[in-house]
Structures are given as C-alpha cells and as structure tokens.
Amino acid sequence: MAEPSSRPRHIVLTSHPSPHGAQTQPIRWGSLDPLQRGPVVGTLTNPAHRNVIGTHAGAYALYRALAVASGSLQPDHRADLTNTAPVVSIGPYASWGDADRIVSLDPWGAIVGEVFAPFYAQGYDIRPTIAITRAHINMPELQEAVSKGRLQVDGRILKDNGDLVVTKAAIEPVWYLPGIAKRLQVSESLLRRTLFEQTGGMFPELVTRSDLSVFLPPIGGQTVYIVGQVAAITDPALPLAVRVHDECNGSDVFGSDICTCRPYLVHGIEECIRTAQAGGAGVIVYLRKEGRALGEVTKFLVYNARKRQEGGDRADAYFARTECVAGVQDMRFQELMPDVLHWLGITRIDRLISMSDLKYRAITSSGIEVIQRVPIPEDLIPADARVEIEAKKAAGYYTEGEVPDAERLAQTQGRAWVE
C-alpha cells in the first residue's frame, strides 16, 4: 500500500477557479445598457462564469445546500424559466443607469431572460433576482374598513369578498460593494474586511477577490405590493401613496399588540387603495428586517428585559433596554431602503405613510420629493403599544405635527385626489 503523501494539503479560499483569474464577463454597475452592464452570474453550474461573491436566493441559499447534501437536489440543476417572465413591465428608468441611486438590488433582475439573451445562447446560467406577478390578498381589517365606510368596494381594485387586487414583486438583495460603502460613508476595503470577519470568514472572496464588486448576501429580501396601475407610479399627473414597512412577524402575522406594526401596515394599505381608486397608485414595500434588523431572538429578549425591569415597561427605558441587549438601537440602515423606490422609477411621493424621520430623510436625501407624511391615526394604536409611541416621541424618532407647506399642497390639488 502506498504511503500517504507527506506534502501539506492546500485549502482553496475561494469558490472561483483562480483567486486572481480574469472574469469572463465583468459587471459594469450603473450602465443603462444591460449588455454593457453585464449579467449577475451567481450560479454554481459553471464556476468559470461566476462574476459575483456568494450565490442566489439570499437566506434560502443555505436550504439549497441542504437539499444538495441530502441528495434531493442535483447540484447542476438549471432552472427552466419558461413562462416565468414578469406579468407587467417595470422600467427601465434613468435611475437604473445611476450607480449612486441603486446599490442594493439588480434593476435588471426581473428581465434577465430578455436583456441577456446573447449570454444565455453562450451557455451562461443566469438566474432572475426579481420576480413580478399578480395576486389577490385579503385581510379582515379591509372588510372592517368597508363596513365602517372608510373604504369603498369598486369591483376592480377592491372586490366584494374583500379581496384586494395587487401586482407584487419579490426582490433578492444584490449589493454593489463600492456603492454600499459610499452610501454608508466608509471605505470599500473596510466594508469588505468587516463583512468577512463578522460572518466568520464565510465569504473569503470579499478579501481575496478585489476584482469582484458585486456580493449576493445571505439575507432576507423585500416584497413590493402595487395597488392600481403600475404606469400610474411614474405619471406626474397622478397621486402616489407609499408605505415602507419593516417586517414584524409577531404583529404583522399573529396580531401582537405590543407595537403598531400591523395597524400601521393596514392603514398604509387603506391609503394605497384610496389613492388607486382616485386614479393614482399605492406602493407597499415590505422589507425582511425583523426587529429593526436585530432579529426576533433579540427582540424577545428585549421584551423580557423591558417588562421585568423596576417599574415595568416604560417609555424612558424602551430604547435603552434594546441597546443593552443588542449594542445598538437599530440596524436597518435606511440609507439602502430608497433603492427599491428608484427601481420603480419614483421621483415624487404625494403621501408617505410613515412617522419615521429616518425613513423620510433617507428617501428625500436620495432625491425623491415627499409632499406629505401621514401618521397612524390615534384610534388605531393598540393600548399596549402606547409605550412604543411615547418612547419614539421622546427619542425624536419622528417629528410630531409636521405638515406639508402650502405650496406643495397646492401642487397636489391639481391631481385626482380624495381624502
């Protein structure tokens, strides 16, 4: 029997053929010509074609690994994308060609089969990172709003049975690292090194492949729900309502009353319906950033700490207890949030259904005009959520009583609108 080799075994620190190998197709982020920009290739069927760090599917990529490991999925499976194209067209808009406007998603991600056909012909395995479809959603609060006269059934947008007709888009994160670093006002090298270190070295290409500028992070994405005609979103003559909502599973799904999340989400949907019925459009952006992106375990730990402290749950300790557990109050980084609005071609929002100064500043700083901000009505605030509201007031989370100036309000009166 041959003796085992005494030579040391080398572990490759990158999933690419060579740590410094030339890319077959570089990504020129910010080009409005998709063929010049190039496709995002994060699949594993042909490693030589890969031009990004990471792989598609966000947080679900790890389940794909389990499926391969268990033998239920062939590792070289290529998706059959027949009849999967978007049901409606979105874009392209000028913002798609601005490397500063969009840095956290691929604006071409929904139409890769159309715009990258020459690459498919060359054998590239290009996966969509955005999917657009139509659906009906039904929430009991909408039926209640109809019964109380706040909403009207029109048979087109809101049906007799309470169904709401929407166009929806699911979006996976695609990060352009130079743009992310610029948005956060840090160096790209610091960003790369920190991402590498704080994921336990999960993505060595972050530090070994400086030639790769795009990263597919294993995090949750976002879903966009559009009420009304998609074309109305970018029509300057028509009103637009927008609610940007960060995930809160306990409230949004299970109705927990310790916060205002589900009531505010429903209120935003109502505003979107009324705006669409007035001839405009409504947009709900739902981001997977549970517990201010601190996570649900941290959130529940904070709940316990707040309720067990001396004096019980108090507004003056609301954020302090969060910071004690998590180290920070919030990790949502709203600076990245406006990208989806620019993907939709939005340049003006008539009614932003939000009290958050962080969201407002992120949106307006990105170049989108906001005409009016709409707070949650007092009668929709659950009794147990008063602590949250009072804590946010005390912390300067929102500007209470802010109203739009007379000139901007006058501009909206020329468009179809109903209060």
Side-chain angles (χ1 to χ4, degrees):
M1 180 180 295
E3 292 293 328
S5 172
S6 60
R7 289 182 299 175
R9 299 177 63 187
H10 297 283
I11 300 175
V12 179
L13 289 178
T14 173
S15 59
H16 294 75
S18 167
H20 304 288
Q23 297 178 49
T24 56
Q25 176 55 49
I27 297 174
R28 300 177 180 88
W29 197 269
S31 175
L32 196 52
D33 180 340
L35 293 179
Q36 287 293 319
R37 205 296 302 270
V40 170
V41 187
T43 54
L44 303 171
T45 52
N46 187 338
H49 286 170
R50 286 171 51 79
N51 60 2
V52 300
I53 303 165
T55 188
H56 290 306
Y60 296 100
L62 299 181
Y63 286 102
R64 182 185 186 277
L66 292 183
V68 172
S70 67
S72 60
L73 174 65
Q74 293 300 311
D76 59 351
H77 170 74
R78 296 179 73 129
D80 180 355
L81 299 175
T82 304
N83 294 329
T84 63
V87 296
V88 296
S89 296
I90 293 179
Y93 301 110
S95 54
W96 291 23
D98 188 333
D100 290 327
R101 294 281 190 210
I102 298 177
V103 300
S104 63
L105 59 88
D106 179 6
W108 303 99
I111 51 177
V112 293
E114 173 186 342
V115 298
F116 297 124
F119 289 95
Y120 278 103
Q122 297 174 48
Y124 281 77
D125 183 11
I126 306 166
R127 305 289 176 94
T129 57
I130 301 175
I132 305 171
T133 189
R134 286 196 180 98
H136 289 190
I137 62 175
N138 194 309
M139 303 175 73
E141 291 94 336
L142 299 183
Q143 299 180 41
E144 179 184 352
V146 171
S147 67
K148 291 184 176 180
R150 296 200 307 268
L151 289 178
Q152 302 296 319
V153 171
D154 63 282
R156 181 177 59 89
I157 295 171
L158 190 59
K159 304 285 189 176
D160 289 329
N161 64 353
D163 279 359
L164 174 62
V165 180
V166 298
T167 300
K168 61 182 183 179
I171 304 174
E172 291 178 1
V174 178
W175 287 3
Y176 175 56
L177 292 172
I180 296 284
K182 184 176 181 181
R183 194 77 62 86
L184 300 183
Q185 299 182 5
V186 300
S187 69
E188 184 184 347
S189 61
L190 174 62
L191 174 65
R192 284 174 173 267
R193 186 172 69 252
T194 306
L195 287 170
F196 172 72
E197 292 173 347
Q198 295 302 313
T199 58
M202 185 181 295
F203 297 98
E205 294 95 340
L206 288 165
V207 292
T208 64
R209 293 296 302 269
S210 59
D211 57 313
L212 299 179
S213 60
V214 175
F215 176 42
L216 306 183
I219 60 174
Q222 56 192 307
T223 310
V224 178
Y225 295 85
I226 300 170
V227 184
Q229 296 297 313
V230 172
I233 294 175
T234 55
D235 190 332
L238 300 175
L240 176 66
V242 173
R243 165 71 182 165
V244 178
H245 190 91
D246 296 306
E247 178 182 33
C248 178
N249 183 62
S251 178
D252 296 342
V253 179
F254 294 101
S256 170
D257 64 355
I258 197 172
C259 62
T260 59
C261 294
R262 183 179 173 101
Y264 218 156
L265 175 61
V266 173
H267 179 56
I269 293 173
E270 286 190 32
E271 291 284 347
C272 287
I273 293 171
R274 282 190 285 270
T275 306
Q277 290 177 333
V283 173
I284 302 290
V285 180
Y286 194 90
L287 299 108
R288 280 14 180 248
K289 295 182 178 179
E290 178 66 57
R292 302 193 204 107
L294 303 172
E296 202 165 35
V297 169
T298 295
K299 181 199 278 191
F300 288 7
L301 294 174
V302 172
Y303 284 168
N304 288 345
R306 283 168 46 191
K307 293 179 179 181
R308 288 171 174 167
Q309 66 191 339
E310 185 178 352
D313 197 6
R314 308 190 316 272
D316 64 331
Y318 180 89
F319 287 110
R321 295 310 300 149
T322 301
E323 195 163 354
C324 285
V325 176
V328 294
Q329 296 179 4
D330 192 315
M331 292 198 305
R332 286 174 291 183
F333 289 96
Q334 301 293 3
E335 297 94 330
L336 304 178
M337 171 267 293
D339 289 23
V340 66
L341 305 179
H342 290 293
W343 173 68
L344 291 167
I346 293 174
T347 57
R348 188 200 66 244
I349 298 171
D350 294 281
R351 289 167 73 82
L352 176 64
I353 320 303
S354 174
M355 301 165 74
S356 168
D357 283 354
L358 291 174
K359 293 178 181 177
Y360 171 76
R361 286 195 295 267
I363 291 170
T364 55
S365 296
S366 77
I368 297 173
E369 181 185 13
V370 173
I371 304 298
Q372 184 179 11
R373 297 166 67 182
V374 181
I376 185 172
E378 284 288 323
D379 60 345
L380 294 183
I381 300 174
D384 205 27
R386 293 303 322 183
V387 171
E388 174 201 11
I389 293 295
E390 295 306 317
K392 288 180 176 180
K393 285 182 183 178
Y397 184 83
Y398 62 90
T399 305
E400 191 173 14
E402 179 177 350
V403 295
D405 62 67
E407 180 181 353
R408 288 192 295 167
L409 270 179
Q411 293 172 358
T412 66
Q413 293 173 358
R415 294 190 288 274
W417 190 257
V418 290
E419 291 288 351

